[in-house]
Amino acid sequence: NSLDPNNNYGKIRSINDFLRDIDAGTIPLATKNRFKAQVLFFRAYRYFDLVRLYGGVPLILTSLPAIGDEAKDAAKLPRNATTECIHQIIKDLDTAIKYLPGRWNDPAANWGRITRGAAAAFKGRVLLTYASPQFNPTDLQDRWRDAYDANLQAYSLLTASGFGLSASYENIWFPASETENPEAVLVTGYNNSTGDQTKKNNGYDRATRPS
């Protein structure tokens, strides 16, 4: 259901709406491109979540009508080939890499925001998965070559922006500030400010372990 904002296609619809509407605004082109780059990263992220589970899925790159029988029929799209989906994911990530900064200004305010290196690293992850036996049972060597090249690009971009292995193992866990961890490339933030222990703890972990 692409109208459900909590599933992958619901989020993809919101992304496609944004990409459709942003050009109507009057903000500077460079700012638009950075907004688009961030949004395209997350479209690639959502499609990869679908492809790694199901293989080829319908590629919807523009918002579909939402009301009426004609809209319902228009949404009955066939699945695209896995290769087509991977190519679209890589296309979105390449655009993100082109327009995102290596680091954002004001690290404290922009902690966790997607960078050029994060997009490149995610591209490397996608292509490694595509080269793996799950999607590459005949072991096509060009897929491994593409994965190697993508990860080398990610390494080069991240190194140029000051990312890398921490000089101190202790400081990975207890840095002076979270923005000082040079290994934090693709960040997931957790809310530690609430006094509600249920919200602070990882509910997935608790739900999957025996009492």
Side-chain angles (χ1 to χ4, degrees):
N1 181 358
S2 65
L3 296 181
D4 183 347
N6 296 313
N7 65 28
N8 279 320
Y9 274 114
K11 294 180 186 298
I12 288 168
R13 180 182 178 84
S14 296
I15 287 167
N16 288 337
D17 285 348
F18 180 91
L19 292 170
R20 179 196 63 203
D21 294 341
I22 188 173
D23 284 330
T26 58
I27 58 177
L29 179 60
T31 305
K32 285 183 181 180
N33 285 338
R34 284 199 172 182
F35 277 132
K36 288 180 180 179
Q38 293 170 84
V39 168
L40 286 171
F41 171 88
F42 283 106
R43 186 167 73 177
Y45 185 96
R46 289 292 165 184
Y47 268 116
F48 182 60
D49 193 41
L50 290 165
V51 170
R52 67 188 179 86
L53 292 173
Y54 305 117
V57 296
L59 277 175
I60 302 173
L61 306 178
T62 58
S63 295
L64 300 175
I67 299 173
D69 290 337
E70 290 184 5
K72 183 178 180 181
D73 291 338
K76 294 177 180 177
L77 298 173
R79 290 168 63 160
N80 289 76
T82 300
T83 298
E84 292 176 306
C85 294
I86 293 293
H87 287 171
Q88 183 60 49
I89 290 168
I90 298 307
K91 182 179 178 181
D92 284 353
L93 291 173
D94 281 340
T95 301
I97 293 166
K98 180 177 179 180
Y99 290 109
L100 286 171
R103 281 189 181 274
W104 290 87
N105 295 331
D106 192 355
N110 290 297
W111 173 239
R113 192 179 291 275
I114 300 300
T115 64
R116 177 182 297 125
F122 191 74
K123 176 183 173 181
R125 180 187 299 180
V126 170
L127 289 175
L128 276 174
T129 302
Y130 188 48
S132 72
Q134 179 182 2
F135 292 100
N136 187 21
T138 59
D139 201 28
L140 297 172
Q141 292 301 293
D142 61 325
R143 295 193 187 178
W144 290 109
R145 204 172 304 113
D146 290 343
Y148 172 83
D149 290 342
N151 281 284
L152 182 60
Q153 179 196 30
Y155 175 82
S156 299
L157 291 173
L158 288 164
T159 300
S161 295
F163 292 90
L165 296 177
S166 175
S168 168
Y169 182 75
E170 176 186 3
N171 287 338
I172 295 177
W173 308 108
F174 305 104
S177 72
E178 58 189 2
T179 61
E180 292 185 13
N181 182 352
E183 297 187 19
V185 172
L186 188 57
V187 175
T188 299
Y190 292 92
N191 184 3
N192 290 322
S193 62
T194 177
D196 186 333
Q197 292 301 312
T198 301
K199 292 181 180 178
K200 287 178 68 174
N201 294 331
N202 188 333
Y204 172 83
D205 196 51
R206 182 179 57 186
T208 56
R209 295 173 186 254
S211 299

